Amino acid sequence: MYPTRNKLPVIFYFVCCLIGFSGCSNLPQDVHRPPSIAFKDGPTTHLGRSLADNLADHPNQSGVFLLGHGLDAFVARALLASLAERSIDVQYYMFHQDTVGQLLIDQLIKAADRGVRVRMLIDDMYGSDADDVWTALDAHPNMEVRLFNPFVRDASKNLQWITRFREVNYRMHSKSFTVDNLATIVGGRNIGDEYFDATPELAFADLDLLAIGPVVPEVSEAFDQYWNSEWAYPASTLTQSAPPEALDDLRTHLDTFFQSEAATTYIEALENSDLANALRAGSTQFNWAEAEVIHDSSEKKARGENWQAELLISQLWPTLQQATEELIIVSPYFVPGKKGAKALCDLSNKGVKVRILTNSLASNDVAAVHAGYAKYRKQLLKAGVLLYELDEQVKKEVGKLFTWLPGLSKSSLHAKTMVIDHKAMFVGSMNLDQRSLHINNEIGILFRNPEVAGKSAEMFDRSIEKAAFRLELGDDESIQWHLKQNDGDIIYDKEPYVSFWKKLGVWFIGLLPVGFLL
């Protein structure tokens, strides 16, 4: 047996060999990325003609329609895809190959078969899980698939988190679905069953915004910036090209899946739901508002000299700072950092009623984020900020009232939205955590409509204490969790519904210097 002191050099040599080996694999060089931009002649399509009168009656305004229920969020995307005549631009952090994902891919292929140009831009955090699908779609003459900030395919992904951490840590978290440059959907949902109420085990309570009007070309402009970025790699350059039969095989598989029981609810909604019928008829009841798209640059990860001024939060903060009465923040992952916590405390000290809804430790699907958030709770509570944490055991009755929550017995918050003074509202992909603020690429729409913003605030008022714990400081400044019941409050002195070991793990993570990554 070798002496203990000799083990370190051996391990060190082994790690160096691994790192050196991984360094032999690189992303492809001199990649051919044919540039393209959004089509500008959308009004000549059927969709354009159906919207023309409404748009003419509201010059310089955008129509907005909140998509709180997962089924409606699916219908809006699938129905718009079925109406597309010129183009569909799809941009997502995650695109799972499950019920919702396959049904949407089926719609995208059918659109491409009609001659519609389909551009799909997917972040590569989980993109390699579906390389065979992406390359098959990329083989379609009317479809292009690009993967953003990809991992090297012939090297260990886990090892790349060590050897390429600075590069692969930055992810495109933006989410948009734009048809004919006339209608767009922006919000918190990735493409996956859990975001569209399709799985009973876990549902993400989420929110999207369907928009038409001047705001749509702004989303398209943002998409074009990412699409033509050096960080976007055609799927076929990262792995072997699809064999000639791959696309036909995918079509056959989707045709079979279309007949499956899992697809039935979504197909019926697409055929018969009120929203589907309204979109077909051009009778959707949009609310009209001054609106603007706010997004991070596709070059955010390069961090140029003026990168801080270009951040989405830097563009949005002046509006939040103008709040005089109330600011409601819904953010599933909430790690404000020292500057953010101070800014929110300052607003509260000025007399603005600041209310924040985030996940409890029990409902949070990323426990490490909770460690980053927990250290700011007392500071915020002392300044009068009202903190609410989602009750993981939300019941159906609450879901009927609070349409950001699906009516399932287990729910995790995923919506990212803000309401300012009952007058303006922001809906997007950005969490108020350090990763969204400073690392990932995000997008959102800020619109000013007192009716929509006011109703959203009223919904929050009616439902928040039935859906979430209200945090308070006890006499000894320890945190208490209050849950409103018909016969009074239930008070918890510890994080509700969480085991000792999970609490211990979060406490330990809180000791590590990783707050800037959360």
Side-chain angles (χ1 to χ4, degrees):
M1 184 174 180
Y2 290 107
T4 303
R5 64 177 180 271
N6 289 337
K7 288 185 178 180
L8 182 59
V10 172
I11 294 171
F12 180 74
Y13 175 75
F14 177 69
V15 171
C16 287
C17 286
L18 284 177
I19 293 174
F21 177 75
S22 71
C24 295
S25 300
N26 295 299
L27 290 171
Q29 302 297 310
D30 301 321
V31 173
H32 180 54
R33 302 178 182 86
S36 61
I37 60 173
F39 293 131
K40 308 298 183 185
D41 55 350
T44 63
T45 67
H46 171 77
L47 182 60
R49 292 191 296 272
S50 72
L51 299 174
D53 289 344
N54 246 340
L55 291 170
D57 291 341
H58 301 89
N60 303 318
Q61 289 190 313
S62 294
V64 296
F65 186 96
L66 292 179
L67 298 168
H69 291 290
L71 203 56
D72 281 346
F74 165 78
V75 165
R77 289 167 170 84
L79 199 283
L80 286 175
S82 74
L83 296 175
E85 295 178 45
R86 294 285 283 144
S87 64
I88 304 175
D89 291 333
V90 177
Q91 181 179 16
Y92 284 100
Y93 173 62
M94 257 183 231
F95 200 119
H96 295 322
Q97 306 303 310
D98 50 15
T99 300
V100 169
Q102 291 184 83
L103 289 175
L104 287 177
I105 285 175
D106 181 70
Q107 290 293 336
L108 295 175
I109 292 175
K110 288 175 179 175
D113 289 344
R114 298 194 306 268
V116 175
R117 183 188 72 179
V118 178
R119 298 186 294 177
M120 298 183 68
L121 181 60
I122 310 299
D123 184 82
D124 199 44
M125 181 66 181
Y126 305 99
S128 60
D129 297 344
D131 275 342
D132 56 337
V133 176
W134 306 139
T135 53
L137 296 177
D138 201 47
H140 194 297
N142 292 323
M143 299 185 77
E144 280 189 81
V145 181
R146 295 184 182 180
L147 297 167
F148 196 85
N149 194 19
F151 290 83
V152 177
R153 288 302 187 265
D154 56 351
S156 164
K157 189 173 182 179
N158 289 334
L159 194 56
Q160 288 180 71
W161 277 108
I162 300 172
T163 61
R164 300 178 60 220
F165 177 78
R166 185 174 179 84
E167 183 174 358
V168 301
N169 184 46
Y170 293 88
R171 308 311 321 170
M172 183 193 74
H173 195 243
S174 304
K175 304 163 179 70
S176 66
F177 191 101
T178 306
V179 171
D180 287 348
N181 203 12
L182 288 168
T184 192
I185 299 171
V186 170
R189 287 183 176 91
N190 294 296
I191 303 303
D193 288 355
E194 61 268 35
Y195 302 95
F196 295 86
D197 303 356
T199 173
E201 292 82 22
L202 173 66
F204 283 120
D206 223 323
L207 186 68
D208 290 322
L209 184 71
L210 166 61
I212 60 175
V215 77
V216 180
E218 294 181 30
V219 175
S220 293
E221 184 179 348
F223 179 92
D224 287 345
Q225 183 186 122
Y226 282 83
W227 180 258
N228 295 307
S229 164
E230 64 178 301
W231 308 110
Y233 285 69
S236 56
T237 67
L238 296 171
T239 187
Q240 292 182 345
S241 297
E245 68 277 8
L247 183 57
D248 287 337
D249 290 347
L250 181 58
R251 281 196 181 96
T252 300
H253 167 76
L254 292 173
D255 286 343
T256 302
F257 181 76
F258 207 75
Q259 309 303 319
S260 69
E261 184 178 351
T264 300
T265 300
Y266 288 85
I267 293 170
E268 289 178 352
L270 183 57
E271 293 174 350
N272 303 314
S273 73
D274 291 343
L275 179 59
N277 291 330
L279 286 169
R280 284 192 194 94
S283 59
T284 308
Q285 296 300 303
F286 288 97
N287 291 278
W288 296 91
E290 293 180 0
E292 61 181 301
V293 173
I294 307 177
H295 67 92
D296 285 313
S297 165
S298 62
E299 303 303 311
K300 178 177 180 177
K301 76 188 209 70
R303 293 195 171 192
E305 290 183 5
N306 299 317
W307 70 275
Q308 287 187 332
E310 297 173 1
L311 294 178
L312 190 159
I313 188 61
S314 298
Q315 300 173 63
L316 180 62
W317 180 248
T319 299
L320 304 183
Q321 205 170 22
Q322 290 171 9
T324 58
E325 298 176 7
E326 182 179 65
L327 173 62
I328 297 173
I329 296 172
V330 179
S331 181
Y333 312 117
F334 179 67
V335 186
K338 292 181 180 179
K339 290 183 179 179
K342 181 181 184 303
L344 292 170
C345 289
D346 289 346
L347 270 181
S348 180
N349 290 330
K350 287 194 323 186
V352 177
K353 186 178 183 180
V354 179
R355 293 190 287 173
I356 299 167
L357 171 63
T358 191
N359 274 307
S360 63
L361 178 54
S363 68
N364 201 322
D365 64 318
V366 185
V369 173
H370 193 85
Y373 150 68
K375 64 182 63 177
Y376 296 103
R377 289 189 294 202
K378 287 187 179 181
Q379 177 187 355
L380 293 166
L381 290 170
K382 287 179 181 179
V385 174
L386 299 173
L387 285 181
Y388 296 91
E389 296 179 3
L390 184 69
D391 178 4
E392 186 250 358
Q393 298 183 1
V394 175
K395 302 301 180 184
K396 267 191 175 182
E397 301 80 55
V398 176
K400 293 175 184 176
L401 289 171
F402 194 22
T403 57
W404 289 339
L405 300 176
L408 297 175
S409 61
K410 179 172 173 60
S411 184
S412 182
L413 184 69
H414 199 260
K416 306 103 167 36
T417 184
M418 305 178 199
V419 180
I420 305 102
D421 285 345
H422 288 224
K423 297 175 183 177
M425 192 168 181
F426 175 83
V427 177
S429 67
M430 182 188 72
N431 299 297
L432 272 184
D433 64 9
Q434 297 306 292
R435 174 161 289 279
S436 278
L437 297 179
H438 301 292
I439 300 174
N440 290 345
N441 302 100
E442 309 287 356
I443 191 172
I445 295 177
L446 173 67
F447 64 92
R448 294 167 176 81
N449 181 294
E451 182 179 358
V452 177
K455 285 183 178 178
S456 296
E458 290 167 9
M459 185 191 307
F460 190 96
D461 292 342
R462 286 198 311 269
S463 308
I464 186 60
E465 297 213 2
K466 297 178 183 178
F469 299 99
R470 183 185 73 255
L471 274 60
E472 292 187 4
L473 290 177
D475 293 338
D476 59 352
E477 293 196 353
S478 62
I479 295 176
Q480 297 177 335
W481 288 258
H482 291 245
L483 186 61
K484 193 178 182 82
Q485 298 287 318
N486 292 332
D487 54 353
D489 279 6
I490 297 177
I491 302 175
Y492 295 83
D493 294 323
K494 309 283 187 185
E495 305 263 7
Y497 315 143
V498 181
S499 69
F500 166 80
W501 294 108
K502 188 168 187 178
K503 293 174 188 174
L504 181 64
V506 169
W507 171 82
F508 177 73
I509 293 171
L511 299 178
L512 302 176
V514 294
F516 69 101
L517 296 173
L518 302 177

